[in-house]
Structures are given as C-alpha cells and as structure tokens.
C-alpha cells in the first residue's frame, strides 16, 4: 500500500452525529497509552497528523482520516485512562460503542496491545466485544522496540493467551520507531481494499 493523500476529515465529540461515509472504514482501538497515534502516523508517513502526547488519554474524539480517497482510518478514544473521571470514561465508552454499532462501512478493527504487558481486563473486554459484533480483530502488539528480540515469542504467547484469541487471529508485532510490522499491516489494508473494490 502506498499512501499518497491523507487528510483529517471529520472529528466527532460526545454529542456529534457520526458521518455517513461511503468508503470502507478501519478502526484503531486500544488503551490510552498504547501508541495508537504513533501507529497511525507511521502508517500515514506523517510525523504528527495524529496527535501524540506524553499525557495518556489525549484522543477524546473519534477522528476520521481520509486515506487516498479509498478508505478511512478511524482513531477511537483510548480506554482505561486512570486519571479521567468516571463520567468522562463512561462518555468515551458510549462513544466507542455507538461507533462500533452504528458505522455502516466499518470493515476491520485493529486492537492495539502493549507487547511488554499481559492484556488488561479492558483489553479482553474489547477483544470479546469486537468478536461479538462480528468483526475479525487484528491484534497489533505495539512498542516492539522496547523488548529484546529473544522475548518476542514469549510476549506474543502472553497476548494470545491473555486475550484468549480465537483460531486465525492475526497478531502483528509493531514498532513506531523502526517501522517493523508496517508492511504486514499494509498487506491487511491491501486485502481490505481488494475486497471492497
């Protein structure tokens, strides 16, 4: 996949109506500090179109990036951010749930998990939720550059067992620093585009 044109087209807050897009959408879900914005920037070959922050929980909106006028990357608010109050957390949860229920063109959900840690309860719930809504999740194990190469197999098994993945679930280790794993993600995106031509 060669990404030539990228634009942040729509930003939806808690009270916004979701856009009725015609192009296929792929959504990115994960905990607040899992590196979602860094992944999206790496895929788009942009340094800072998706805002990264040292403060987890910066993405409090659903952001739609138009990619090559062919599909949308949909950046969902991060979940499980400890410092957000319960009311805000509940609003984010409803926004994500509303999106996953109502988008008519969502075709794939990428679930991001930090490769250094076992999946959290929120990660497990999100994985099950994606399955229950009849999507085939692709798990992206982020922050690959933070572990030794010899630890990779063990950490992948930890994620697979922690999520209780169904057979056939793809797990792609990824580093925003080295871009390792990016080609594998592009292959998944190419497959989506072929299916939705």
């Amino acid at each position: 996949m060669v990404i030539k044109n990228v634009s942040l087209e729509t930003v939806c807050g808690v009270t916004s109506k979701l856009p009725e897009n015609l192009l296929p959408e792929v959504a990115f879900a994960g905990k607040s500090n899992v590196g979602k914005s860094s992944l999206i920037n790496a895929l788009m070959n942009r340094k800072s179109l998706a805002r990264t922050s040292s403060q987890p929980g910066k993405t409090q909106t659903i952001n739609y990036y138009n990619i090559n006028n062919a599909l949308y990357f949909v950046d969902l608010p991060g979940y499980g951010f400890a410092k957000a109050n319960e009311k805000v957390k509940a609003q984010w949860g409803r926004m994500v749930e509303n999106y996953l229920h109502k988008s008519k063109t969502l075709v794939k959900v990428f679930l991001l998990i930090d490769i250094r840690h076992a999946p959290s309860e929120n990660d497990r719930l999100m994985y099950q939720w994606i399955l229950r809504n009849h999507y085939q999740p692709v798990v992206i194990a982020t922050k690959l550059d933070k572990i030794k190469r010899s630890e990779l197999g063990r950490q992948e098994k930890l994620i697979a067992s922690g999520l209780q993945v169904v057979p056939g679930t793809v797990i792609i280790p990824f580093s925003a620093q080295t871009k390792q794993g990016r080609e594998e993600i592009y292959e998944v995106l190419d497959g989506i585009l072929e299916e939705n031509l």
Side-chain angles (χ1 to χ4, degrees), residues 93-124:
R94 279 196 300 275
M95 272 170 74
V96 172
E97 207 168 310
N98 185 44
Y99 168 74
L100 292 171
H101 268 314
K102 292 191 175 168
S103 170
K104 291 186 175 72
T105 56
L106 177 62
V107 291
K108 184 69 75 182
V109 182
F110 290 100
L111 178 60
L112 280 63
I113 309 282
D114 188 327
I115 199 165
R116 298 171 297 176
H117 309 297
S120 68
E121 182 59 24
N122 281 331
D123 293 328
R124 283 192 289 278

Short mmCIF file of all heavy atoms in Angstrom, two decimals, residues 93-124:
data_model
loop_
_atom_site.label_atom_id
_atom_site.label_comp_id
_atom_site.label_asym_id
_atom_site.label_seq_id
_atom_site.Cartn_x
_atom_site.Cartn_y
_atom_site.Cartn_z
N GLY A 93 -16.66 5.50 26.56
CA GLY A 93 -17.13 4.14 26.31
C GLY A 93 -18.36 4.13 25.43
O GLY A 93 -18.45 3.34 24.48
N ARG A 94 -19.28 5.04 25.73
CA ARG A 94 -20.52 5.11 24.92
C ARG A 94 -20.22 5.54 23.49
O ARG A 94 -20.83 5.05 22.55
CB ARG A 94 -21.53 6.05 25.57
CG ARG A 94 -22.32 5.39 26.70
CD ARG A 94 -23.54 6.19 27.07
NE ARG A 94 -23.25 7.53 27.53
CZ ARG A 94 -22.91 7.83 28.79
NH1 ARG A 94 -22.87 6.89 29.71
NH2 ARG A 94 -22.65 9.07 29.13
N MET A 95 -19.28 6.48 23.35
CA MET A 95 -18.91 6.94 22.00
C MET A 95 -18.37 5.78 21.17
O MET A 95 -18.77 5.59 20.01
CB MET A 95 -17.79 7.99 22.09
CG MET A 95 -18.24 9.41 22.24
SD MET A 95 -16.83 10.47 22.60
CE MET A 95 -16.02 10.57 21.04
N VAL A 96 -17.46 5.00 21.76
CA VAL A 96 -16.85 3.89 21.03
C VAL A 96 -17.90 2.83 20.70
O VAL A 96 -17.98 2.33 19.57
CB VAL A 96 -15.68 3.29 21.85
CG1 VAL A 96 -15.16 2.01 21.20
CG2 VAL A 96 -14.55 4.30 21.98
N GLU A 97 -18.74 2.52 21.69
CA GLU A 97 -19.79 1.53 21.49
C GLU A 97 -20.75 1.98 20.38
O GLU A 97 -21.13 1.21 19.50
CB GLU A 97 -20.56 1.36 22.81
CG GLU A 97 -21.20 0.01 22.96
CD GLU A 97 -21.69 -0.21 24.38
OE1 GLU A 97 -20.92 0.01 25.33
OE2 GLU A 97 -22.85 -0.57 24.51
N ASN A 98 -21.14 3.24 20.45
CA ASN A 98 -22.04 3.82 19.47
C ASN A 98 -21.44 3.71 18.06
O ASN A 98 -22.10 3.30 17.11
CB ASN A 98 -22.29 5.29 19.83
CG ASN A 98 -23.31 5.95 18.93
OD1 ASN A 98 -24.34 5.38 18.61
ND2 ASN A 98 -23.02 7.16 18.49
N TYR A 99 -20.15 4.03 17.96
CA TYR A 99 -19.47 3.96 16.66
C TYR A 99 -19.47 2.52 16.15
O TYR A 99 -19.83 2.25 14.99
CB TYR A 99 -18.03 4.49 16.75
CG TYR A 99 -17.25 4.15 15.51
CD1 TYR A 99 -17.49 4.84 14.32
CD2 TYR A 99 -16.35 3.09 15.49
CE1 TYR A 99 -16.85 4.48 13.14
CE2 TYR A 99 -15.70 2.73 14.32
CZ TYR A 99 -15.95 3.44 13.15
OH TYR A 99 -15.31 3.08 11.99
N LEU A 100 -19.04 1.58 16.99
CA LEU A 100 -18.92 0.19 16.54
C LEU A 100 -20.28 -0.41 16.17
O LEU A 100 -20.37 -1.27 15.30
CB LEU A 100 -18.24 -0.66 17.62
CG LEU A 100 -16.76 -0.34 17.87
CD1 LEU A 100 -16.24 -1.08 19.09
CD2 LEU A 100 -15.88 -0.68 16.67
N HIS A 101 -21.33 0.06 16.82
CA HIS A 101 -22.68 -0.41 16.49
C HIS A 101 -23.22 0.20 15.21
O HIS A 101 -23.88 -0.46 14.43
CB HIS A 101 -23.65 -0.04 17.62
CG HIS A 101 -23.80 -1.11 18.65
ND1 HIS A 101 -23.98 -2.43 18.33
CD2 HIS A 101 -23.80 -1.04 20.00
CE1 HIS A 101 -24.08 -3.13 19.45
NE2 HIS A 101 -23.97 -2.32 20.48
N LYS A 102 -22.93 1.51 15.02
CA LYS A 102 -23.68 2.26 14.01
C LYS A 102 -22.95 2.49 12.69
O LYS A 102 -23.60 2.81 11.70
CB LYS A 102 -24.09 3.62 14.58
CG LYS A 102 -25.14 3.47 15.68
CD LYS A 102 -25.75 4.79 16.06
CE LYS A 102 -26.87 4.60 17.06
NZ LYS A 102 -27.30 5.85 17.67
N SER A 103 -21.63 2.36 12.67
CA SER A 103 -20.94 2.59 11.39
C SER A 103 -21.39 1.55 10.37
O SER A 103 -21.35 0.35 10.63
CB SER A 103 -19.43 2.51 11.57
OG SER A 103 -18.82 2.50 10.30
N LYS A 104 -21.82 2.04 9.23
CA LYS A 104 -22.29 1.12 8.18
C LYS A 104 -21.15 0.63 7.29
O LYS A 104 -21.33 -0.31 6.52
CB LYS A 104 -23.35 1.83 7.32
CG LYS A 104 -24.65 2.11 8.06
CD LYS A 104 -25.71 2.68 7.12
CE LYS A 104 -27.04 2.86 7.80
NZ LYS A 104 -27.05 3.97 8.76
N THR A 105 -20.00 1.28 7.37
CA THR A 105 -18.91 0.91 6.45
C THR A 105 -17.67 0.39 7.18
O THR A 105 -16.62 0.21 6.57
CB THR A 105 -18.53 2.10 5.55
OG1 THR A 105 -18.18 3.22 6.38
CG2 THR A 105 -19.67 2.50 4.63
N LEU A 106 -17.77 0.15 8.50
CA LEU A 106 -16.64 -0.40 9.24
C LEU A 106 -16.39 -1.84 8.78
O LEU A 106 -17.29 -2.67 8.77
CB LEU A 106 -16.94 -0.38 10.75
CG LEU A 106 -15.87 -1.01 11.66
CD1 LEU A 106 -14.55 -0.26 11.55
CD2 LEU A 106 -16.35 -1.03 13.10
N VAL A 107 -15.14 -2.12 8.37
CA VAL A 107 -14.83 -3.46 7.86
C VAL A 107 -13.79 -4.20 8.70
O VAL A 107 -13.68 -5.42 8.63
CB VAL A 107 -14.35 -3.42 6.38
CG1 VAL A 107 -15.49 -3.03 5.46
CG2 VAL A 107 -13.17 -2.49 6.20
N LYS A 108 -13.01 -3.48 9.50
CA LYS A 108 -11.95 -4.13 10.27
C LYS A 108 -11.64 -3.30 11.51
O LYS A 108 -11.64 -2.07 11.46
CB LYS A 108 -10.69 -4.26 9.42
CG LYS A 108 -9.53 -4.99 10.03
CD LYS A 108 -9.76 -6.47 10.22
CE LYS A 108 -9.67 -7.26 8.94
NZ LYS A 108 -9.95 -8.70 9.17
N VAL A 109 -11.35 -4.01 12.62
CA VAL A 109 -10.93 -3.32 13.84
C VAL A 109 -9.53 -3.83 14.21
O VAL A 109 -9.31 -5.03 14.35
CB VAL A 109 -11.90 -3.56 15.01
CG1 VAL A 109 -11.43 -2.77 16.25
CG2 VAL A 109 -13.32 -3.16 14.64
N PHE A 110 -8.60 -2.90 14.33
CA PHE A 110 -7.26 -3.20 14.82
C PHE A 110 -7.26 -2.93 16.33
O PHE A 110 -7.59 -1.83 16.76
CB PHE A 110 -6.21 -2.31 14.15
CG PHE A 110 -5.97 -2.62 12.71
CD1 PHE A 110 -6.55 -1.84 11.71
CD2 PHE A 110 -5.15 -3.67 12.33
CE1 PHE A 110 -6.32 -2.11 10.37
CE2 PHE A 110 -4.93 -3.96 10.99
CZ PHE A 110 -5.52 -3.17 10.01
N LEU A 111 -6.92 -3.94 17.11
CA LEU A 111 -6.83 -3.78 18.56
C LEU A 111 -5.37 -3.73 18.95
O LEU A 111 -4.61 -4.67 18.69
CB LEU A 111 -7.53 -4.96 19.26
CG LEU A 111 -7.47 -4.96 20.79
CD1 LEU A 111 -8.12 -3.70 21.38
CD2 LEU A 111 -8.13 -6.21 21.36
N LEU A 112 -4.97 -2.62 19.57
CA LEU A 112 -3.57 -2.42 19.93
C LEU A 112 -3.33 -2.85 21.38
O LEU A 112 -4.07 -2.45 22.28
CB LEU A 112 -3.18 -0.95 19.77
CG LEU A 112 -2.86 -0.48 18.35
CD1 LEU A 112 -4.07 -0.59 17.43
CD2 LEU A 112 -2.35 0.96 18.36
N ILE A 113 -2.29 -3.66 21.58
CA ILE A 113 -1.90 -4.14 22.91
C ILE A 113 -0.40 -3.87 23.07
O ILE A 113 0.38 -4.16 22.16
CB ILE A 113 -2.14 -5.67 23.05
CG1 ILE A 113 -3.57 -6.06 22.64
CG2 ILE A 113 -1.79 -6.14 24.46
CD1 ILE A 113 -4.65 -5.78 23.62
N ASP A 114 0.01 -3.34 24.21
CA ASP A 114 1.42 -3.11 24.50
C ASP A 114 2.11 -4.47 24.66
O ASP A 114 1.75 -5.25 25.53
CB ASP A 114 1.53 -2.28 25.80
CG ASP A 114 2.96 -1.83 26.10
OD1 ASP A 114 3.91 -2.57 25.76
OD2 ASP A 114 3.12 -0.75 26.70
N ILE A 115 3.10 -4.74 23.82
CA ILE A 115 3.74 -6.05 23.78
C ILE A 115 4.47 -6.39 25.08
O ILE A 115 4.74 -7.55 25.39
CB ILE A 115 4.71 -6.15 22.57
CG1 ILE A 115 5.02 -7.62 22.25
CG2 ILE A 115 6.01 -5.36 22.83
CD1 ILE A 115 5.65 -7.84 20.89
N ARG A 116 4.75 -5.36 25.90
CA ARG A 116 5.52 -5.60 27.13
C ARG A 116 4.67 -6.18 28.25
O ARG A 116 5.20 -6.69 29.23
CB ARG A 116 6.13 -4.28 27.62
CG ARG A 116 7.11 -3.66 26.63
CD ARG A 116 7.52 -2.29 27.07
NE ARG A 116 6.37 -1.36 27.10
CZ ARG A 116 6.44 -0.11 27.52
NH1 ARG A 116 7.60 0.37 27.96
NH2 ARG A 116 5.37 0.66 27.50
N HIS A 117 3.35 -6.08 28.13
CA HIS A 117 2.49 -6.44 29.26
C HIS A 117 1.40 -7.43 28.84
O HIS A 117 0.96 -7.45 27.69
CB HIS A 117 1.80 -5.19 29.83
CG HIS A 117 2.76 -4.08 30.13
ND1 HIS A 117 3.76 -4.19 31.07
CD2 HIS A 117 2.88 -2.83 29.60
CE1 HIS A 117 4.46 -3.05 31.10
NE2 HIS A 117 3.94 -2.22 30.22
N ALA A 118 0.93 -8.19 29.82
CA ALA A 118 -0.24 -9.04 29.59
C ALA A 118 -1.45 -8.15 29.33
O ALA A 118 -1.54 -7.04 29.88
CB ALA A 118 -0.50 -9.92 30.81
N PRO A 119 -2.39 -8.56 28.47
CA PRO A 119 -3.58 -7.76 28.21
C PRO A 119 -4.35 -7.48 29.51
O PRO A 119 -4.42 -8.34 30.40
CB PRO A 119 -4.41 -8.63 27.26
CG PRO A 119 -3.41 -9.55 26.63
CD PRO A 119 -2.37 -9.80 27.67
N SER A 120 -4.91 -6.28 29.60
CA SER A 120 -5.70 -5.90 30.78
C SER A 120 -7.12 -6.43 30.63
O SER A 120 -7.52 -6.92 29.57
CB SER A 120 -5.75 -4.37 30.89
OG SER A 120 -6.51 -3.84 29.81
N GLU A 121 -7.89 -6.30 31.69
CA GLU A 121 -9.31 -6.68 31.63
C GLU A 121 -10.03 -5.89 30.54
O GLU A 121 -10.84 -6.43 29.80
CB GLU A 121 -9.96 -6.44 33.00
CG GLU A 121 -11.42 -6.85 33.09
CD GLU A 121 -11.66 -8.33 32.80
OE1 GLU A 121 -10.75 -9.16 32.96
OE2 GLU A 121 -12.78 -8.65 32.36
N ASN A 122 -9.72 -4.59 30.43
CA ASN A 122 -10.33 -3.76 29.38
C ASN A 122 -9.97 -4.28 27.98
O ASN A 122 -10.80 -4.27 27.08
CB ASN A 122 -9.88 -2.30 29.51
CG ASN A 122 -10.64 -1.56 30.58
OD1 ASN A 122 -11.78 -1.88 30.87
ND2 ASN A 122 -10.00 -0.58 31.19
N ASP A 123 -8.70 -4.70 27.81
CA ASP A 123 -8.28 -5.27 26.51
C ASP A 123 -9.10 -6.52 26.19
O ASP A 123 -9.56 -6.70 25.06
CB ASP A 123 -6.79 -5.64 26.54
CG ASP A 123 -5.87 -4.44 26.64
OD1 ASP A 123 -6.23 -3.37 26.11
OD2 ASP A 123 -4.79 -4.58 27.24
N ARG A 124 -9.26 -7.39 27.19
CA ARG A 124 -10.02 -8.64 26.98
C ARG A 124 -11.47 -8.33 26.61
O ARG A 124 -12.04 -8.92 25.70
CB ARG A 124 -9.98 -9.51 28.24
CG ARG A 124 -8.67 -10.26 28.41
CD ARG A 124 -8.75 -11.31 29.48
NE ARG A 124 -8.84 -10.74 30.82
CZ ARG A 124 -7.80 -10.33 31.53
NH1 ARG A 124 -6.58 -10.45 31.03
NH2 ARG A 124 -7.95 -9.82 32.73
#
